Amino acid sequence: MESKKSYNNVEEMVVDLFGNKEGKKFNKRASKRRYVTRLIVFRCVHSLSRKKIARHIGISKKRLDKIESGKDNGLSIEIVMGYFETFHKKILKNPLQ
């Protein structure tokens, strides 16, 4: 009887099953997705709309929707900084909320 292999994480499993090249691609995408998820959580916790974030960053709401859904690979440091600048302004404007 063959014993089942166990993995420490999904990334490790992908590398083992599909090889190093595919594993690296998966790891990059998974890492990016974790950042996007954190940005969504920050936005929701601070009650900021996608429209407000998009306007502040200088992109369309449609593009922001694609970024947050993982359908746009255009996540840049400028977009991430735009999120945090918007959070910072909201927190300073309404520090007790």
Side-chain angles (χ1 to χ4, degrees):
M1 179 180 234
E2 191 177 318
S3 64
K4 290 186 179 184
K5 193 168 188 176
S6 64
Y7 301 95
N8 293 318
N9 54 53
V10 174
E11 288 91 351
E12 187 179 296
M13 180 185 72
V14 171
V15 169
D16 184 51
L17 295 175
F18 301 104
N20 209 22
K21 184 178 178 183
E22 289 302 316
K24 284 182 181 180
K25 284 177 19 182
F26 176 82
N27 288 341
K28 185 177 179 180
R29 183 153 175 82
S31 178
K32 183 177 175 182
R33 189 69 214 151
R34 282 190 289 272
Y35 287 118
V36 170
T37 300
R38 288 180 184 134
L39 293 175
I40 294 168
V41 169
F42 278 124
R43 181 177 58 74
C44 293
V45 165
H46 293 289
S47 302
L48 293 166
S49 69
R50 285 184 180 134
K51 185 176 180 180
K52 184 171 186 172
I53 294 282
R55 186 173 53 238
H56 179 80
I57 296 171
I59 61 175
S60 69
K61 182 186 166 296
K62 186 175 181 176
R63 173 131 188 257
L64 186 64
D65 291 343
K66 285 182 178 181
I67 291 168
E68 287 193 356
S69 69
K71 295 177 182 172
D72 185 325
N73 289 327
L75 183 62
S76 66
I77 191 66
E78 290 82 11
I79 291 172
V80 173
M81 292 305 297
Y83 268 86
F84 290 115
E85 287 171 4
T86 307
F87 301 142
H88 183 71
K89 285 181 181 181
K90 175 158 173 69
I91 290 168
L92 289 178
K93 186 177 178 183
N94 302 305
L96 300 178
Q97 288 185 341

